[in-house]
Structure formats: structure tokens, C-alpha cells
Amino acid sequence: MALDYSHDPSRDDKNLIVHTEKPFNAEPNPKDLISNFITPEKYFFCRSHGNIPNLDEASHKITIEGINITTPKRFTIQELKTRFEKKSIVMAMQCAGNRRDGLHKVKHTEGVIWGPGAVANGIYSGCRLKDVLESIGITEQMGHTATLHVAFQSVEKCEEDECYGSSIPLSKAVDEFGDVLLAYEMNGAPLTRDHGYPIRIVVPGYIGARSVKFLKSIRIQDKESSAYYQQHDYKILPENVGSIDDAENYWSITPAIGEYNVQSFVCDPPSGLVDVPILANAQPVKVQGYALSGGGRSIQRVDVSGDDGNTWVHAELQSQPIAERTSAYTWSWTLWTAHVHVKAGVRLVSRAVDSAGNIQQEFPVWNFRGVLNGAWRTVKPTSVIEEQ
Amino acid sequence: MALDYSHDPSRDDKNLIVHTEKPFNAEPNPKDLISNFITPEKYFFCRSHGNIPNLDEASHKITIEGINITTPKRFTIQELKTRFEKKSIVMAMQCAGNRRDGLHKVKHTEGVIWGPGAVANGIYSGCRLKDVLESIGITEQMGHTATLHVAFQSVEKCEEDECYGSSIPLSKAVDEFGDVLLAYEMNGAPLTRDHGYPIRIVVPGYIGARSVKFLKSIRIQDKESSAYYQQHDYKILPENVGSIDDAENYWSITPAIGEYNVQSFVCDPPSGLVDVPILANAQPVKVQGYALSGGGRSIQRVDVSGDDGNTWVHAELQSQPIAERTSAYTWSWTLWTAHVHVKAGVRLVSRAVDSAGNIQQEFPVWNFRGVLNGAWRTVKPTSVIEEQ
């Protein structure tokens, strides 16, 4: 049965490039994306797998059940708000398919052909999943059993499955420093419908696919979620897998993605090229972009090149000040600015180094689902048609 | 005053390539290194910064002091063994300088010119630092203050400083899943003198430099260790820093390394080349090596190429079985085997992908101290003289 999108919210106040209307998938233009350290909702990418449910916060309940829980527990949003401490974190939300367009240029990929805007930096507030689980007897110690997972399901009806489902290891959920939230606010206001109203999971340091919106249920179980979005999507298939048929032999033996990789992008100039001739000895051009890494790793350096990677300058970094952090790890993105000598029509690229010394490679290693593209920007050097 | 190395232990039972005798720095040959999943001590690299202290377990004490500790606490080894639960973990110990030789070929680097053998996989046993800290009132909650660190000092006199010193964030030390140990055993036997007898710190997922041997003191403080090995070494200096003088301007603004990056290496054939002509349609050659990543990330795939990176096959992985793991994260290395068609004199390379999608790049990004070289193997394609 086709999904009914007629009750989706209005998006008149958003300023996004729309990839698909039904379901609604849209991203900002690159310059808007980096115009704020905390991304306003109008520039916040939307990733949907179905129509947007129209839920009532007052009556909505979430259920928690599974291993070590004898009878399912139910919580209203009001209970979550009043019984548990509120925590806020600044966190980059990044779709695993961010910059899929770069891999799609190499060879056909399956999925929404995102440019560099399927990432944003939000302030999420809510209660810690850890605190809620502990209140019903799920302890930190249970996280040592590496085979236990926490599965989430949404109310949302989806194109590919009955509802949206995904999971994370229990260890991440109960880690004192994991900061997994049952979030009811973004940027200081109640979640909007497009971003998961009335309640969503946010999993910092992980791909956005694990931050389930319109949350309906949580289950402690001895395997990953069996949902389509855990088992048949969001995996880095090896290069030899080039079709949906090939993929069938690889889904079950390929790990699901959790943390994401090191990433950066030149957002201004948005084309990644300067298309007017620059005189010799001209002033350097101001170049700006973003950088981030998964798993709580910070960005230690961003190098920027105006001559296709032959020479590099260091960007000035705008990171979240450590004094303002409410977490032991870095969940926020970093914005950066560099002043670079450029030539007309020559590729402008950035290369981030994260705190573990991971560094972006020049050449993408293609994968069929086009996920976790962390290579340098690919741009046709003889034109101003850019990656996106 | 020159250090006295005359009381260093005998190394007659080791089978290592010696880089320097005083201090003793040595690594196994690549084929020996991967001949066991758990590395026997005779093939375990030794990294020393001074002479080896000759300590008495019965009288040795460690001191813990600093923030939130009113009077310094002292523990004998016997107390650590009896008062706290014993935990064992399988953990890759990797020097940040592993494979420095690859960067040194690009341009001069400072340090011991390690080949690919400054890594090993051991079973470490001891008590959790977290448990010991909690027994004196240092809680997990204190780890949320991102500015607190745990500094370690050794008894060892060193070439560059009064003693060996280093630090880690307090959050890592008190994390339920961090598995930082006060280790007194390696591979089921008491630590040997070369490996830190009678007690050392082991910090899984971090570079070996943080796993301080011959431990004397632990201090909770509001800044990193001020020791040479935290402040003037083990940092990824930017490419433009090419001398000790240049480095002086960068040490204080460059982060100290904690977690390491994704890594793999072809250890057999050790040259990275097959130097006899292979007939067309010949059987593929068996190629073996290791792979690992920092921060608890597992290896999800190793690709191997017999034609200098044009085509790739997937290696079969030997990872620690999840049922045998005592930790939520992956601290062990992975060994791998592939069968690859090769040509005489053409580079054999491996490329690992970790669980966060980080992937080894072809070309190294040089740094003056030659740390965290995660690029593909560099080998002169016209000779059999290999990286090491």
C-alpha cells in the first residue's frame, strides 16, 4: 500500500535543496550550511524513509522490553521529562550517505544522491538512555556482554519496511560517556515533526541512521535489529558488489556501520573551484568548510590546498570550546577557514586529520550503497560543475 | 650523566632485530611477528627510553595523588593483586612509530627507524585502574570534566627526561569499558623486566607510549603530563615542520596522540614483492599480514592487491572470537591471509577498513616525528629492498 504523504508538515520556512518530496529528503546549499556553528532548523537536512507521523505528545508512550525486563515498561514523554535529569549536547548529525554524489560519480550507487549537506550541528536535549535503562534494572555491567544490543523502532511507516528500525551495542547505550539521549528538544525548542517529534534517539558519534525518530519502542536483545535499515542498508559493501543481486550474498557478512569516519569539505566557494582568473601575486582567497569525525574523535588539523593537493595550508579551526562541553568526547563538528592561493579551474580541496591520526584519502574507495565517502572532493577540473 | 646499561636483562632468548642496544629497541622480523595470534615474548618488540630498572616486587609501591585525593595513597603489588578483581584482555600494543621507515623514505624523520614490527598482540592481566581509583574516591562522574587527566610516572631513568611520564584523559581511565589496567602479567606470566616488571599501565586502543612501564606514581591533575614524552614527542606535527627548531613553535599547539589510526601490513612475503618471475595462469601466492585500529574499532575488511593497487581481493580474517572477548570493544589485532595473483617486482599491498569506515590511504602524509604511518606499504618497485 502506498504511503500517504498528504499530512506531512509544511516546509515553507526551510531553505533546502529538495532531492525527493515523498519521502522528504533535502539538504541546504553548502554556504548556508556553514553560516552558523549551530545549524538553524531551516538549514538542517531532512532524511525521511516514509511519511511523517502526526503524534500527540500528551498521549504518546514508549515501551521498553527484552532481556532482563520481566514485564514491558511504558513511559510517557512527561515522565521522561520529569523523572530524569535533562542533558544537552552539541552534536553533529551526519547521514551515512553524506557526499554520496562523490562516489556516484565513480560508478552508480543506490540511494538519495546527497551532496555535502547531509550533516548538521545541533544542540540536542533530553534524558540519558542510560538513566532510563538503569531505572528498570539494565546496568552498565550488562554492557560487557558484547553480544547484547538495544533495538529501536519508530512509529513511522516506511517505504522499505513496516517501520523504521535500527540498533546500537548495549555498551554504547549504557556507557557513562556515551551520551545516548532520548531527545525531546533540538536547538532549545521541542523537536519539530521533521526531526522526530515528540521523541527520538540521538546517538552521538554514530551515523544518523541509528538516531531513530518518532520513537515507539526500545528492546534489549541478543542480536542486532533485524530491520531493513540495520541489515540491508548502511553497510560498506566491498568494491566487487555492484548490484542489488550481488549484495544479497554480502549483507549478512558485512558489519552494520556504527561510528563514522573522518570527514571534511570545502563549502565556500561552493563549486570547489574559483572560476575567474586570479592574477599572479593576487591576494589569497578565503575558503571555508566543515570537518568532523565519529566516535568522539576531535579534529586536530585541516589542510587546504588551492592547487589540487600539491601544497597545503593549515586552516584556522572553530571547534566547540572545551569549557562549554558537557561531554568527555567531541560530538560537535568543527568549522574552518583558510586563506589559499588558487588558480582558475584548479581543484580546491581539504583534508582533515582526526585525533586518532586518521586522514582523508585522495581517491574514494567506491561502495554500492555510497556510504561514508571520506575522500577529497571530486570535481571535474575543467568545469565549474561541482560534486553536488 | 650517562645512563648505566650494564644491569639490563639478558636478551639471549629473544629473536629480534636490534635497532639500538642502549637503550634497547628491537623488533621481530615480519614473518615471525604473524606466526602467532598471541605474540610470544621472544617476538614481542621492545621499546625503551633508558636502562631497565631492577625492581623488587615485594617492596615496590605505587603512589596515587592529586585532585580530590587529600593524602597520597600507596599500594604494594600484593595489595593490587589481592584487593582488586583480576581482569585479562587481549590487546594489540603498538608503538606510535611503527612503520616509521615508510615515512623516513619520504623525508628524514626523528626517531628509531622502526619497520612493521613495533606492534604485538598480548594477553595483559591485572586490576582495572578504574577499580583502584574508585577505592580512593575518584568516581566515573569526575570523568565528565574533560580537562582532567591521569598522569603516570615510571621509575626508569630516561635519555630525554628524568623519568618516563605520560598521561591519558580521566574519562578513559574511569570508563567502565575503557579497560585501562594496572597490569602485572603478560601472556599468563609475570611481566618481564623489558616489559615493565613489576607493574605497568596498559591503555588499550591507545599508542604504546601511554602504557607506562615500571610504574611509580599516578596523579590526577587538571592538565596533561608535562613530561617530554607527552609534550615533545608522540605528536603529529604538520608537514611544514621539518626540523627540531621548527618543531619548537608547534609542540604546544599540536595535540598529543591517544588513539591510533587504521593500519595493516603485508608481512609474508616480507619484502612486499615476489622476486621470482610468476608464469601467467600460475597459482595465486599466499600473502599474510596483520591489521588493527585504535579506540576499540574492529577491522571489518582487508583488501590485498598483487598489482600495485589496481585490483584487490578480500583477505580471510582471523579476529578474536567475540565469545572469547572480555571487553565491549576490540583491543586485539586481526591476522589475515589472502591468495593473490602477483607479478615479479610489482608491489604487494594491503588496505584495511575499520569499523568506522576509516581506510588506509595510498600516499603517506609525512610528519617530522614519523608517527602513525597508516599509508600503504612503500617499496621501491624495481628492487627487493623493502620498507624495513
Side-chain angles (χ1 to χ4, degrees), chain B residues 18-49:
Chain B
V18 177
H19 292 294
T20 65
E21 287 280 1
K22 300 172 185 180
F24 187 67
N25 287 301
E27 67 179 303
N29 78 56
K31 283 182 74 163
D32 287 343
L33 177 60
I34 56 159
S35 58
N36 298 275
F37 189 75
I38 301 298
T39 312
E41 209 211 353
K42 66 180 175 180
Y43 298 146
F44 215 104
F45 75 102
C46 292
R47 173 71 179 114
S48 312
H49 291 269

Side-chain angles (χ1 to χ4, degrees), chain A residues 45-181:
Chain A
F45 75 102
C46 292
R47 173 69 177 116
S48 312
H49 290 269
N51 53 7
I52 307 296
N54 202 352
L55 300 172
D56 173 28
E57 178 177 320
S59 62
H60 186 69
K61 288 190 178 72
I62 63 162
T63 305
I64 312 183
E65 59 195 339
I67 291 170
N68 272 25
I69 304 171
T70 45
T71 54
K73 303 293 187 298
R74 287 193 174 74
F75 291 89
T76 63
I77 309 303
Q78 189 61 19
E79 281 174 303
L80 294 175
K81 286 182 176 175
T82 53
R83 281 186 52 192
F84 302 98
E85 191 183 345
K86 183 177 179 179
K87 176 158 189 176
S88 297
I89 57 170
V90 175
M91 165 188 153
M93 181 71 78
Q94 182 179 226
C95 179
N98 189 31
R99 298 186 57 213
R100 178 171 288 131
D101 57 355
L103 295 176
H104 195 67
K105 276 185 176 176
V106 176
K107 202 163 83 174
H108 172 81
T109 57
E110 282 287 305
V112 177
I113 307 302
W114 295 103
V119 59
N121 207 42
I123 305 170
Y124 289 97
S125 306
C127 53
R128 302 200 303 173
L129 175 58
K130 171 188 175 68
D131 293 341
V132 178
L133 292 178
E134 280 183 355
S135 79
I136 60 168
I138 305 296
T139 63
E140 201 173 44
Q141 277 65 35
M142 280 177 66
H144 286 287
T145 311
T147 50
L148 289 182
H149 298 263
V150 187
F152 310 115
Q153 284 192 315
S154 78
V155 172
E156 183 190 20
K157 301 289 181 199
C158 288
E159 297 285 352
E160 298 89 352
D161 206 341
E162 277 200 17
C163 65
Y164 192 90
S166 190
S167 64
I168 60 172
L170 181 60
S171 54
K172 171 69 174 171
V174 296
D175 191 325
E176 178 69 25
F177 306 111
D179 287 331
V180 180
L181 300 184

